[in-house]
Amino acid sequence: MKTLIKIRDLKKVFRMGQEKVVALNGINLDIYQGEVLCLLGTSGSGKSTLLNMIAGLDKPTKGSIEIAGIHIEKLNEAQVTKFRQLNVGFVFQAYNLIQGLNAVDNVALGLIFKGIDKKKRQAMAVQILKDVGLATRLKHKPNEMSGGQQQRVSIARAFVDQPKIVFADEPTGNLDSKTSIEIMNMIVGMAKNHNQTMIIVTHDPQTAEYADRIVEIKDGKIIEIKDNVSIFKGEKKDDEDEDENKEENNESQAI
């Protein structure tokens, strides 16, 4: 497999007053084109810090991160922002949708920065929202949708322009077990269909089982890299009736 991301001797030290906290301590890792890789660890293990380093959201104290031949640790803020816009999608635990915008506008928003005209970006947003099972929720705002539906909007936003890399940060953290399975099958299926590299960050061993490889992190170090037979079952889309029934039965619960 072709190596897409090369991480070498990566170290991150945070200063808290007079103390130094070592969040990452000598990470070496290759991530391949088209693979689903999971960074697994408990809270405080360093997995989210590693995601932030790879995504260019923070700078390492030491070491290098090379993505498709580009050393992102050497890019300035404007350059790394442009790199993310062109190459990266994010799925977040908390969805991170703009409350005042409907589903189509939430998905289309990021396409503005890519120079795509309004008609085309609206059409792209509508199509992918239909692909994730939200054909009748296009004009709904986040507060008019269940948690599961909001996460589908987040997924559509991440995948709308088929980025090279998708980061999924605790993508099922706010979801019930049934919806978690549906969401994981959906995002892994979409990544596999387009040969995209997906990096999942989670503390949940069940979520980790959807990955091709599991990288376990503890105290800022990789303690094990395990090849894994994914439990991915293919894409699964709820029809709208089932989604509406789920909402009625779980009005007081985030799905």
Side-chain angles (χ1 to χ4, degrees):
M1 296 177 68
K2 180 181 178 181
T3 300
L4 178 66
I5 303 171
K6 297 179 182 179
I7 301 167
R8 296 292 182 267
D9 300 321
L10 198 67
K11 189 171 184 178
K12 181 64 178 179
V13 179
F14 293 101
R15 291 186 178 274
M16 300 180 65
Q18 298 299 317
E19 292 187 31
K20 293 182 180 180
V21 177
V22 180
L24 297 174
N25 192 5
I27 299 290
N28 290 282
L29 181 64
D30 287 341
I31 302 173
Y32 305 115
Q33 174 66 45
E35 82 165 324
V36 177
L37 180 132
C38 179
L39 303 176
L40 176 66
T42 59
S43 178
S45 63
K47 63 186 187 301
S48 293
T49 301
L50 181 54
L51 179 146
N52 289 340
M53 298 293 110
I54 302 171
L57 297 171
D58 199 0
K59 294 284 188 181
T61 304
K62 182 182 178 183
S64 65
I65 305 161
E66 184 180 348
I67 302 179
I70 298 172
H71 280 271
I72 64 167
E73 82 281 358
K74 296 180 180 179
L75 302 181
N76 62 34
E77 186 174 348
Q79 290 170 331
V80 78
T81 297
K82 187 68 174 179
F83 179 85
R84 283 197 300 271
Q85 289 172 353
L86 295 176
N87 297 286
V88 174
F90 290 93
V91 179
F92 300 99
Q93 176 179 348
Y95 321 133
N96 288 13
L97 302 177
I98 297 176
Q99 295 301 310
L101 299 182
N102 63 34
V104 172
D105 289 338
N106 261 289
V107 173
L109 183 62
L111 299 176
I112 295 174
F113 305 105
K114 300 177 188 290
I116 299 173
D117 67 73
K118 183 176 181 179
K119 184 176 181 180
K120 184 175 180 180
R121 64 179 182 258
Q122 291 276 314
M124 290 170 67
V126 168
Q127 183 57 58
I128 197 161
L129 284 165
K130 290 178 178 179
D131 291 344
V132 299
L134 293 178
T136 65
R137 299 289 191 270
L138 301 179
K139 298 301 181 182
H140 285 62
K141 294 181 179 179
N143 63 3
E144 299 171 321
M145 292 184 283
S146 69
Q149 290 166 344
Q150 289 183 66
Q151 190 61 299
R152 289 173 186 240
V153 177
S154 174
I155 291 166
R157 179 184 59 194
F159 283 91
V160 63
D161 59 340
Q162 298 181 20
K164 290 184 178 70
I165 306 166
V166 176
F167 294 98
D169 189 2
E170 297 285 5
T172 62
N174 288 341
L175 306 175
D176 64 42
S177 57
K178 181 177 183 296
T179 309
S180 294
I181 292 170
E182 294 163 2
I183 291 298
M184 289 306 302
N185 277 316
M186 179 178 291
I187 62 175
V188 172
M190 293 175 78
K192 291 293 185 185
N193 285 344
H194 298 287
N195 196 35
Q196 293 161 289
T197 300
M198 173 175 283
I199 300 173
I200 302 167
V201 172
T202 187
H203 68 280
D204 178 17
Q206 185 72 8
T207 298
E209 290 298 322
Y210 285 85
D212 301 315
R213 285 193 300 157
I214 300 172
V215 178
E216 188 172 354
I217 299 175
K218 183 177 181 181
D219 298 330
K221 297 180 179 180
I222 294 174
I223 62 173
E224 183 181 17
I225 300 177
K226 180 177 71 173
D227 290 329
N228 183 58
V229 179
S230 175
I231 61 173
F232 166 60
K233 297 292 193 301
E235 289 184 45
K236 179 179 180 181
K237 300 176 185 176
D238 278 344
D239 60 31
E240 293 297 334
D241 289 337
E242 184 176 342
D243 229 353
E244 288 173 0
N245 290 337
K246 186 185 300 177
E247 281 187 283
E248 293 173 0
N249 294 332
N250 296 276
E251 289 179 352
S252 62
Q253 177 183 353
I255 301 178

